[in-house]
Amino acid sequence: MTHLPPPAEELRLLDTELRQLDARRALLLARRAWLITALRPPVAPPLPPPPVRRPETTAPRVQNVLLVLGGALLTIAAIAFTLVSWGRMGIAGRALVLGAVTLAALGSPVLLLRHRLRSTAEAVAGLGLALTVLDVYALHEVALPDTNGLGYAAIASALLAALWTAYGLALGGTRRPTGEPATPARLTLRLPLPTALAAAQLPLILWAAAADAGAPAMTAALLVTAALDTAVALRVPVRSVCLVATVGAYGLGGWGSFAAGWLSWTATGPSAVARAAALLLFAAAIALAAAWRLPDTNGAAWVASAGGLLTVVALGGVPRSSLPGEWTVPGYLVCGVALVAAVRTRIPEPMRRGLALAAASVQAVAVVWALPPVAVALLGPVAWLGRAWTGAPSTAREAVTTDGVPWPPYAATAPLVLVVVATVLAVAVRGTQWRPRATIGASALVWAAELVLPAALDIPYWAGMSAQGLTVVAALAYVARSAEPRLVPFLLALVSSVSLACLSLAAEGTTLGVLAALTVLFAAVSGRSRLAPVAALTYATALACAVGASLGWQPQYIALLVLLVPVVAALLAARLVGSPARVPVEVTGAVAGLLAVGLAVPDPPLLALVLALCAVIAAGTAVREDRRPAGYAATALFVLAAWVRLACWGVGSVEAYTLPVTVPALLVGVFGRRKDPLTSSWTAYGAGLSVTLVPSLLTAWIDPDWPRPLLLGVAALAVTLVGARHRLRAPLVLGGGMLALDALHELAPYLVQMAGALPRWVPPALAGLVLLALGATYEQRIRDARRVRDVLGRMR
């Protein structure tokens, strides 16, 4: 019989079977989903949208291009009809065709504007305007062929300008001010009024050309037309009309102003000068009126500046024809200065700035004109450096024009020009910001005027020298009495003194007197400027050279006199502690010392003396705490002096040249180690010992005698023993090395003889024995070497 479990057990078994079935079903479902995914074809990524082709231009632009091209083609066709097919028709037919086409072209824009087709109306109106020009040309060819072409063109252009203006006004050309949109009820044409204004530029110019009126009438026509353009630009609010008027005003006004200026410059008689002046004043009035009304402040300032310059050219050219040539620039300068008074009147601020700029420009040009004689007066005396004491010239102009330097023409009034500009700077400039600069400029201009005045007046040589000397004295007196340092007056005095010193080279006595006076003057103001002591020492050096040359001394003896300057510089620098002038004074003294050395080069014994004296001066400077480095220069100078003296004595021993270096160097090393015990022996004694030992060793190796090697060996042994006694590394290493090399040099001949007497197998055998011995005692040798290294390392 079948065994049936209890109900509870059977329920448990059924639940277990169901759970297993659920787990198996979930596994099969997951496997089925993976298989479906694997068998499904890959999905392609979405394609980007196709690019949208954008138009390369806008519709209004295409429209304008088409209309302009169509109007141009129609105009060309009308021109071809007029020029080619005109003769095939009768007078009535010709008039009928051109009149009908012209009226149609001019009337069509009215209808087109009503249908709000402005662009098309502008194109057709342009065709109509071109047809009116063809009508005028046809009328001349048929009815008036014998009339003057330029005169007819002048009348025709005036009539066309009037006709086009009326046409533009009839179509509402002025109803839209600048910046305001047109009303929707009525559109206007923009082309007729600017075209009419462009045509209005021609009548007066063509009339002047037809009448053959000459340059003044043509210039007047240009300026009148420019005046009309200026009025239109300032009063008519239409943008396109303003643009055409502005271009015409600037173009024709500039052309007319240049022509009027040329007429003024080339005028020879009073009437011609008056006509040119009237034209220039008319141009200036146009510019000033425009500047008064212009809303743009910067533009108004520039236009007012142009008006001021034209006024100066007009008024300054009037006296030019009746005065000598040297008064031309002063005449224009006076007119430029008069503008400064106009600046202070009650005019708008932009015009005030423009007139001030014009006045400054005129004065700047006048100063530039006066610079060539100033340059000659300043640089011309330099030529006396190559012609010293050849004789004083008779006049101041001859003194500055040596070696063929020409005196600039029309330079007689250059001092007046400089003084006038300086006066304007001193009086007119009152602002706190520009006042110091104006004062400096005025001082420089007055100085330049004084510098060129003697040559300009061609006064005697001694008078010119006196005037320039007084300038130096006055400038230095101002520097001495000022509460604050004055750099500019001092520089002007310095430049004048250099020119004065060069001028004084013409005569011997003058040179000595001027250099002595300059030395005293700059020494007197040495406390007011850092450059004054330098200038005093420089002139003292020149004075020393001049005194020596005056006494007939050779250059090497003059060097002893020049050495007084470094002595004075060293003493003066000792008193200028903390002063900015201290370093320049010391540098000047050093340069004077180098000059003394250069002068003494031809005489070696005296050169040694000069070098020794320079060394003494440097040593005296090194006594001061803050000038210790000068001791190195003193040592070097002493060594050089010793070398030069030994060379003069014919000494050929190298130790005679090296020991004077070694002894001071070792003394410096001893002093340095006492001051700083941590100083290395290489730093203290290495350089001093090497200077003598190395050259002596090189000399001993090529010396066939025995005393030098013996003495070198004794000296090296002594240095080695001193190094061992005081445990100093540098003397021990240098002395021991030199001793070994010296011994090797002495034993070298015997070693060579012994090597020649021994069999050839002995050296290799000895080398092998040495290697075996070293290998056998390797460890002991390493220990000994370390012990020696430690001993040397403990040395200082």
Side-chain angles (χ1 to χ4, degrees), residues 16-38:
T16 302
E17 291 293 335
L18 288 175
R19 284 195 298 271
Q20 293 178 352
L21 288 176
D22 290 339
R24 182 63 179 172
R25 184 173 183 277
L27 179 63
L28 293 176
L29 287 175
R31 181 64 180 175
R32 179 177 180 276
W34 182 85
L35 291 174
I36 292 174
T37 303

Side-chain angles (χ1 to χ4, degrees), residues 565-579 581-590 615-632 634 671 675:
V565 176
V567 173
V568 175
L571 296 176
L572 182 61
R575 301 187 61 183
L576 294 176
V577 179
S579 174
R582 187 182 188 185
V583 175
V585 166
E586 292 175 340
V587 172
T588 306
V616 172
I617 297 172
T621 304
V623 172
R624 299 198 303 269
E625 184 68 27
D626 56 342
R627 289 296 184 265
R628 298 297 187 195
Y632 298 106
F671 179 77
K675 187 176 182 180

Side-chain angles (χ1 to χ4, degrees), residues 485-750:
R486 301 292 182 179
L487 179 60
V488 174
F490 178 80
L491 292 178
L492 296 179
L494 183 60
V495 174
S496 296
S497 67
V498 173
S499 179
L500 179 62
C502 293
L503 284 175
S504 68
L505 294 175
E508 180 179 346
T510 306
T511 302
L512 297 176
V514 167
L515 291 178
L518 292 177
T519 303
V520 174
L521 286 174
F522 281 98
V525 297
S526 58
R528 307 301 302 169
S529 175
R530 70 179 65 181
L531 297 178
V534 176
L537 292 174
T538 303
Y539 286 124
T541 305
L543 178 61
C545 296
V547 170
S550 178
L551 295 176
W553 291 2
Q554 296 295 325
Q556 58 269 24
Y557 298 107
I558 297 177
L560 298 176
L561 195 59
V562 173
L563 281 179
L564 294 175
V565 176
V567 173
V568 175
L571 296 176
L572 182 61
R575 301 187 61 183
L576 294 176
V577 179
S579 174
R582 187 182 188 185
V583 175
V585 166
E586 292 175 340
V587 172
T588 306
V591 173
L594 291 177
L595 176 61
V597 172
L599 291 174
V601 166
D603 191 349
L606 199 56
L607 175 61
L609 177 60
V610 170
L611 289 172
L613 293 176
C614 291
V616 172
I617 297 172
T621 304
V623 172
R624 299 198 303 269
E625 184 68 27
D626 56 342
R627 289 296 184 265
R628 298 297 187 195
Y632 298 106
T635 304
L637 290 171
F638 274 125
V639 171
L640 289 176
W643 286 356
V644 172
R645 175 54 63 183
L646 292 173
C648 294
W649 289 340
V651 177
S653 178
V654 68
E655 288 79 10
Y657 295 92
T658 58
L659 285 177
V661 179
T662 296
V663 173
L666 293 179
L667 293 177
V668 172
V670 172
F671 179 77
R673 282 182 59 82
R674 287 182 179 179
K675 187 176 182 180
D676 186 7
L678 299 179
T679 304
S680 172
S681 62
W682 287 105
T683 303
Y685 308 120
L689 293 174
S690 301
V691 168
T692 295
L693 293 177
V694 173
S696 298
L697 178 64
L698 296 177
T699 307
W701 273 66
I702 61 176
D703 191 353
D705 298 329
W706 60 271
R708 183 185 296 275
L710 178 60
L711 294 175
L712 177 61
V714 172
L717 178 60
V719 171
T720 304
L721 294 177
V722 171
R725 171 68 179 80
H726 296 281
R727 303 177 66 184
L728 299 175
R729 185 180 303 176
L732 183 61
V733 174
L734 289 175
M738 294 300 165
L739 183 60
L741 293 175
D742 185 64
L744 179 62
H745 171 264
E746 292 301 311
L747 295 176
Y750 303 101

Side-chain angles (χ1 to χ4, degrees), residues 54-108:
R54 297 179 179 179
E56 297 181 357
T57 183
T58 60
R61 291 183 179 179
V62 175
Q63 167 189 298
N64 293 335
V65 170
L66 294 177
L67 291 176
V68 171
L69 182 60
L73 291 176
L74 289 176
T75 304
I76 293 173
I79 294 173
F81 168 77
T82 304
L83 297 178
V84 179
S85 301
W86 184 258
R88 302 177 183 176
M89 303 177 64
I91 296 177
R94 301 170 190 172
L96 181 61
V97 170
L98 274 179
V101 173
T102 302
L103 290 176
L106 294 176
S108 299

Side-chain angles (χ1 to χ4, degrees), residues 437-521:
R437 303 176 187 178
T439 303
I440 293 174
S443 302
L445 291 174
V446 171
W447 167 81
E450 192 281 331
L451 185 68
V452 77
L453 184 61
L457 298 179
D458 203 15
I459 61 178
Y461 167 74
W462 63 269
M465 291 281 296
S466 302
Q468 198 157 346
L470 290 176
T471 301
V472 177
V473 172
L476 292 180
Y478 177 74
V479 172
R481 297 187 62 181
S482 299
E484 298 179 357
R486 301 292 182 179
L487 179 60
V488 174
F490 178 80
L491 292 178
L492 296 179
L494 183 60
V495 174
S496 296
S497 67
V498 173
S499 179
L500 179 62
C502 293
L503 284 175
S504 68
L505 294 175
E508 180 179 346
T510 306
T511 302
L512 297 176
V514 167
L515 291 178
L518 292 177
T519 303
V520 174
L521 286 174

